[in-house]
Amino acid sequence: MPRAFAEIAFTPSVVAAQERYGSRRANHGFTLAAEAGNRLGAAESAFIAERDSFYQATVSQDGWPYVQHRGGPPGFLRVLDPGTLAYADFRGNRQYLSVGNLNADDRLTLILVDYANQRRLKIWGRARLVHADQDAALLARLALPGYSARVERGVVIAVAAFDWNCPQHITPRYTLAEVEALASPLVEENRRLKARLADLAAPG
Ligand SMILES: Cc1cc2nc3c(=O)[nH]c(=O)nc-3n(C[C@H](O)[C@H](O)[C@H](O)COP(=O)(O)O)c2cc1C
């Protein structure tokens, strides 16, 4: 069975490049996989739930790629079911490049990166834009209480394929919360040592 991502991404010009650079045989394995790789499982769901951002590529009406960042609290990109993702799209610079592109061509690709653990996941899909007057319940489900952003619409993504990437060339980076979690035992030890020093220095 071919991997769904290979069916999408291995276009004739990509296959020609694989032939030219000698990786056609290695990549042929993706056409003989056990699973298509288009149903999000436990590993993908857990990974997505931890992400606080991703990059989203869309296609303009005349074929230019367009990539933009989407961010929010961890888990703002929701797995609604194994074939569906959704997120609340916030008001931004009001150029509406991504949503305008999606209105003409619903295809998108996401890349989600876990810098600290050097993992990344690519997802291909087709997007549907949902406004509050169309499905208030869905928008309520995507809402992020306490997060300061105005939700303009929901973006619902029918997952067409996904593929995990290797960790190469991902420089580990840490969010403030991750740094605090890593540093907290040292901070605590420092506090205890300072208290002990103060005790030792105290007269009597
Ligand atoms: C007031 C304001 C100004 C912004 N200016 C820019 C900008 O100049 N360039 C940019 O890439 N994003 C800018 N942003 C962030 C984008 O609006 C935001 O990432 C939005 O989701 C982009 O939508 P798009 O995917 O349609 O480009 C701005 C946001 C706000 C609220």
Side-chain angles (χ1 to χ4, degrees), residues 132 135-142:
D135 191 342
L138 175 75
L139 285 218
R141 195 173 164 189
L142 300 179

PDB file of all heavy atoms in Angstrom, residues 132 135-142:
ATOM      1  N   ALA A 132     -18.880  31.710  12.863  1.00  0.00           N
ATOM      2  CA  ALA A 132     -19.756  31.497  14.024  1.00  0.00           C
ATOM      3  C   ALA A 132     -21.208  31.314  13.608  1.00  0.00           C
ATOM      4  O   ALA A 132     -21.935  30.521  14.206  1.00  0.00           O
ATOM      5  CB  ALA A 132     -19.609  32.649  15.000  1.00  0.00           C
ATOM      6  N   ASP A 135     -21.544  27.509  12.468  1.00  0.00           N
ATOM      7  CA  ASP A 135     -21.409  26.422  13.434  1.00  0.00           C
ATOM      8  C   ASP A 135     -20.842  26.985  14.739  1.00  0.00           C
ATOM      9  O   ASP A 135     -19.637  26.883  15.013  1.00  0.00           O
ATOM     10  CB  ASP A 135     -20.498  25.322  12.859  1.00  0.00           C
ATOM     11  CG  ASP A 135     -20.523  24.049  13.692  1.00  0.00           C
ATOM     12  OD1 ASP A 135     -20.951  24.117  14.859  1.00  0.00           O
ATOM     13  OD2 ASP A 135     -20.095  22.997  13.182  1.00  0.00           O
ATOM     14  N   ALA A 136     -21.734  27.593  15.522  1.00  0.00           N
ATOM     15  CA  ALA A 136     -21.307  28.231  16.773  1.00  0.00           C
ATOM     16  C   ALA A 136     -20.736  27.194  17.737  1.00  0.00           C
ATOM     17  O   ALA A 136     -19.793  27.475  18.488  1.00  0.00           O
ATOM     18  CB  ALA A 136     -22.480  28.967  17.407  1.00  0.00           C
ATOM     19  N   ALA A 137     -21.293  25.966  17.705  1.00  0.00           N
ATOM     20  CA  ALA A 137     -20.833  24.925  18.640  1.00  0.00           C
ATOM     21  C   ALA A 137     -19.376  24.558  18.351  1.00  0.00           C
ATOM     22  O   ALA A 137     -18.578  24.383  19.278  1.00  0.00           O
ATOM     23  CB  ALA A 137     -21.722  23.694  18.520  1.00  0.00           C
ATOM     24  N   LEU A 138     -19.042  24.482  17.062  1.00  0.00           N
ATOM     25  CA  LEU A 138     -17.659  24.136  16.723  1.00  0.00           C
ATOM     26  C   LEU A 138     -16.721  25.249  17.189  1.00  0.00           C
ATOM     27  O   LEU A 138     -15.675  24.989  17.793  1.00  0.00           O
ATOM     28  CB  LEU A 138     -17.501  23.923  15.215  1.00  0.00           C
ATOM     29  CG  LEU A 138     -16.045  23.674  14.811  1.00  0.00           C
ATOM     30  CD1 LEU A 138     -15.593  22.278  15.192  1.00  0.00           C
ATOM     31  CD2 LEU A 138     -15.821  23.911  13.336  1.00  0.00           C
ATOM     32  N   LEU A 139     -17.111  26.512  16.927  1.00  0.00           N
ATOM     33  CA  LEU A 139     -16.235  27.619  17.345  1.00  0.00           C
ATOM     34  C   LEU A 139     -16.084  27.640  18.863  1.00  0.00           C
ATOM     35  O   LEU A 139     -14.994  27.922  19.370  1.00  0.00           O
ATOM     36  CB  LEU A 139     -16.769  28.956  16.827  1.00  0.00           C
ATOM     37  CG  LEU A 139     -16.568  29.252  15.330  1.00  0.00           C
ATOM     38  CD1 LEU A 139     -16.229  30.714  15.109  1.00  0.00           C
ATOM     39  CD2 LEU A 139     -15.512  28.397  14.671  1.00  0.00           C
ATOM     40  N   ALA A 140     -17.159  27.310  19.570  1.00  0.00           N
ATOM     41  CA  ALA A 140     -17.065  27.259  21.036  1.00  0.00           C
ATOM     42  C   ALA A 140     -16.078  26.162  21.455  1.00  0.00           C
ATOM     43  O   ALA A 140     -15.308  26.329  22.402  1.00  0.00           O
ATOM     44  CB  ALA A 140     -18.440  26.997  21.640  1.00  0.00           C
ATOM     45  N   ARG A 141     -16.087  25.061  20.721  1.00  0.00           N
ATOM     46  CA  ARG A 141     -15.186  23.948  21.031  1.00  0.00           C
ATOM     47  C   ARG A 141     -13.722  24.339  20.805  1.00  0.00           C
ATOM     48  O   ARG A 141     -12.822  23.852  21.484  1.00  0.00           O
ATOM     49  CB  ARG A 141     -15.567  22.778  20.122  1.00  0.00           C
ATOM     50  CG  ARG A 141     -14.991  21.476  20.542  1.00  0.00           C
ATOM     51  CD  ARG A 141     -15.540  20.341  19.699  1.00  0.00           C
ATOM     52  NE  ARG A 141     -14.707  19.167  19.869  1.00  0.00           N
ATOM     53  CZ  ARG A 141     -14.797  18.077  19.155  1.00  0.00           C
ATOM     54  NH1 ARG A 141     -15.706  17.985  18.204  1.00  0.00           N
ATOM     55  NH2 ARG A 141     -14.002  17.059  19.365  1.00  0.00           N
ATOM     56  N   LEU A 142     -13.506  25.229  19.817  1.00  0.00           N
ATOM     57  CA  LEU A 142     -12.128  25.631  19.488  1.00  0.00           C
ATOM     58  C   LEU A 142     -11.658  26.813  20.327  1.00  0.00           C
ATOM     59  O   LEU A 142     -10.488  27.176  20.287  1.00  0.00           O
ATOM     60  CB  LEU A 142     -12.024  25.997  17.999  1.00  0.00           C
ATOM     61  CG  LEU A 142     -12.386  24.900  17.006  1.00  0.00           C
ATOM     62  CD1 LEU A 142     -12.256  25.415  15.573  1.00  0.00           C
ATOM     63  CD2 LEU A 142     -11.495  23.668  17.205  1.00  0.00           C
TER      64      LEU A 142
END
